[in-house]
C-alpha cells in the first residue's frame, strides 16, 4: 500500500463518524433534537468551506469553471452525504451507536456491488478480502456478538439506509467532477 494519505483520510473519516455519533447520542439524551444538530453540523461545515474557498481564491487567483450539469451532479452527490448523516443520526436514536456503525459500514460491500454493476465486472479477490476484513473487524470491535440487545426495526432501517446512501457517496466521490478543486 503506497497511498498512506488515503488511508489517513479514511481513518479520520471513521473516527469523525464515531465521535459525532457519541456527541449526537449524548445531545439527544439532553433533549437536543437531531435536526438541530444536523443543521449546526452542516452550517459549521458550510462556513469552514466558504472561508477555505475564499482563501484559496486569494492565494491562487484560480477560478474553477462549472457548468449547470456539473453543479447538478455535485448537488446530488452532496445530498447523499447529507442523507447519510441524517439517516445515521436518526438510526442512533433507536439503536446503540455500535450497531449504527455496523450498519453504516455496510456501505463497504454495497459500494463494491455498485461498482461491479456499473463497471460490469466482478471485484478483485483483494477487494473482497478487504471488505470481509473490515466487516469482521467492525463486528468484533463493537462486541456485537456477545451483546444482549433488542434492536428496533426503525433504527435498523435508518442505519441500513445510511449505509446505502454512504455507498453512493463513496462511489460518486471518485467519479463526479474530479477535475474541479476539492473545495
Amino acid at each position: 500500500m503506497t497511498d498512506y494519505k488515503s488511508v489517513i483520510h479514511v481513518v479520520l473519516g471513521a473516527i469523525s463518524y464515531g465521535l459525532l455519533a457519541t456527541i449526537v447520542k449524548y445531545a439527544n439524551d439532553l433533549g437536543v433534537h437531531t435536526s438541530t444538530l444536523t443543521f449546526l453540523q452542516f452550517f459549521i461545515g458550510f462556513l469552514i468551506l466558504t472561508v477555505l474557498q475564499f482563501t484559496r481564491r486569494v492565494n491562487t487567483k484560480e477560478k474553477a469553471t462549472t457548468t449547470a450539469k456539473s453543479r447538478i451532479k455535485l448537488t446530488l452527490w452532496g445530498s447523499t452525504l447529507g442523507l447519510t448523516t441524517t439517516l445515521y443520526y436518526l438510526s442512533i436514536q433507536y439503536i446503540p451507536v455500535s450497531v449504527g456503525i455496523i450498519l453504516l459500514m455496510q456501505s463497504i460491500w454495497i459500494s463494491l456491488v455498485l461498482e461491479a454493476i456499473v463497471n460490469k465486472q466482478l471485484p478483485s479477490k483483494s477487494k473482497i478480502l478487504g471488505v470481509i476484513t473490515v466487516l469482521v473487524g467492525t463486528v468484533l470491535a463493537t462486541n456485537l456478538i456477545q451483546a444482549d440487545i433488542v434492536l428496533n426495526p426503525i433504527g435498523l432501517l435508518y442505519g441500513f439506509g445510511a449505509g446505502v446512501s454512504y455507498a453512493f457517496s463513496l462511489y460518486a466521490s471518485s467519479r463526479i467532477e474530479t477535475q474541479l478543486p476539492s473545495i
Side-chain angles (χ1 to χ4, degrees):
M1 184 177 299
T2 58
D3 191 6
Y4 296 108
K5 189 176 178 182
S6 297
V7 172
I8 290 170
H9 286 145
V10 169
V11 168
L12 290 174
I15 290 170
S16 68
Y17 263 108
L19 181 63
L20 282 172
T22 304
I23 292 169
V24 168
K25 192 82 163 175
Y26 179 72
N28 285 156
D29 290 344
L30 293 176
V32 181
H33 196 270
T34 302
S35 61
T36 303
L37 297 170
T38 304
F39 172 79
L40 287 172
Q41 178 187 347
F42 288 131
F43 184 71
I44 291 168
F46 170 76
L47 291 177
I48 291 169
L49 288 174
T50 301
V51 168
L52 289 173
Q53 174 66 14
F54 282 120
T55 58
R56 186 185 65 78
R57 278 193 185 163
V58 168
N59 291 339
T60 63
K61 303 285 186 214
E62 173 187 310
K63 289 191 175 185
T65 56
T66 57
T67 63
K69 186 176 179 180
S70 67
R71 285 188 200 112
I72 291 170
K73 287 180 183 179
L74 289 168
T75 300
L76 289 172
W77 174 52
S79 297
T80 63
L81 288 170
L83 185 61
T84 300
T85 301
T86 303
L87 292 171
Y88 181 58
Y89 288 173
L90 287 171
S91 75
I92 61 173
Q93 287 182 341
Y94 298 96
I95 57 177
V97 172
S98 60
V99 176
I101 290 169
I102 288 175
L103 292 171
L104 185 65
M105 289 300 104
Q106 299 307 301
S107 61
I108 295 169
W109 69 262
I110 295 168
S111 61
L112 195 64
V113 170
L114 178 64
E115 184 179 336
I117 291 169
V118 171
N119 295 341
K120 296 179 177 112
Q121 182 180 3
L122 291 175
S124 66
K125 290 179 184 176
S126 63
K127 284 186 179 182
I128 293 171
L129 182 62
V131 165
I132 292 169
T133 302
V134 169
L135 293 177
V136 168
T138 304
V139 170
L140 292 175
T142 57
N143 198 25
L144 187 64
I145 296 171
Q146 295 178 354
D148 290 331
I149 53 176
V150 177
L151 300 176
N152 185 315
I154 293 172
L156 293 174
L157 188 62
Y158 281 140
F160 189 72
V164 170
S165 179
Y166 196 44
F168 278 99
S169 175
L170 291 173
Y171 181 79
S173 67
S174 64
R175 288 164 181 80
I176 293 182
E177 304 304 325
T178 56
Q179 79 280 5
L180 295 174
S182 300
I183 301 281

